[in-house]
């Protein structure tokens, strides 16, 4: 890819809010970013969502972003950060589900059916 062209397009996006050139940057980089995201997640929908978030953030923060490398390297770094966030949030979700599952198991084992149903509902609400 022509890094000079990417950078000149980026400057037009940043300085003049040029959506057409932003779209060109998107078209030049989305496929590689998607391939990286899919390779890490092995989930088509998650990969698409993460790449989309990278480009949305790129557009929304365009006035404040300073690219010291290439546009491609910047986007790849942003993608890696999004993937880290994704995996951290998935780990948190799993820990919460594991905790709730253990709590429900304990309640069910200790109580009769009528009262345990109520307590299980409380655990799920928490």
């Amino acid at each position: 890819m022509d890094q000079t062209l990417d950078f000149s397009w980026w400057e037009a996006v940043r300085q003049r809010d040029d959506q057409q050139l932003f779209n060109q940057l998107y078209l030049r980089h989305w496929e590689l970013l998607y391939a990286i995201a899919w390779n890490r997640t092995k989930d088509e929908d998650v990969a698409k969502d993460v790449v989309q978030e990278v480009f949305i953030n790129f557009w929304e923060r365009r006035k404040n972003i300073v690219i010291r490398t290439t546009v491609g390297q910047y986007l790849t770094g942003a993608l890696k950060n999004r993937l880290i966030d994704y995996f951290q949030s998935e780990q948190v979700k799993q820990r919460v589900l594991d905790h709730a599952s253990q709590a429900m198991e304990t309640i069910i084992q200790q109580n009769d059916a009528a009262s345990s149903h109520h307590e299980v509902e409380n655990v799920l609400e928490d």
Side-chain angles (χ1 to χ4, degrees), residues 7-119:
F7 195 76
S8 66
W9 285 357
W10 168 246
E11 285 300 311
V13 168
R14 193 174 66 78
Q15 293 173 2
R16 298 190 312 264
D17 299 329
D18 192 320
Q19 282 188 319
Q20 289 181 335
L21 289 180
F22 179 82
N23 292 341
Q24 291 301 312
L25 287 171
Y26 175 86
L27 291 172
R28 285 172 67 108
H29 294 280
W30 80 266
E31 193 169 1
L32 174 63
L33 296 179
Y34 171 77
I36 293 168
W38 186 89
N39 191 40
R40 298 285 196 289
T41 64
K42 303 295 189 216
D43 185 311
E44 184 178 338
D45 291 332
V46 170
K48 286 178 182 178
D49 288 347
V50 170
V51 171
Q52 190 70 14
E53 289 171 12
V54 167
F55 279 103
I56 289 169
N57 187 270
F58 194 47
W59 175 258
E60 289 176 346
R61 296 185 52 237
R62 67 191 173 282
K63 296 293 185 185
N64 300 318
I65 293 173
V66 176
I67 297 178
R68 292 186 175 89
T69 58
T70 66
V71 172
Q73 289 171 330
Y74 177 86
L75 290 169
T76 301
L79 175 64
K80 288 179 181 178
N81 289 332
R82 283 284 173 185
L83 287 168
I84 289 169
D85 291 345
Y86 166 75
F87 284 117
Q88 286 177 341
S89 72
E90 286 300 308
Q91 289 172 347
V92 168
K93 285 181 207 174
Q94 189 59 49
R95 281 195 298 259
V96 168
L97 289 173
D98 289 346
H99 175 71
S101 178
Q102 289 172 346
M104 287 188 295
E105 182 85 20
T106 302
I107 291 168
I108 290 169
Q109 289 174 357
Q110 293 175 351
N111 297 315
D112 63 27
S115 64
S116 67
H117 176 74
H118 179 67
E119 290 182 37

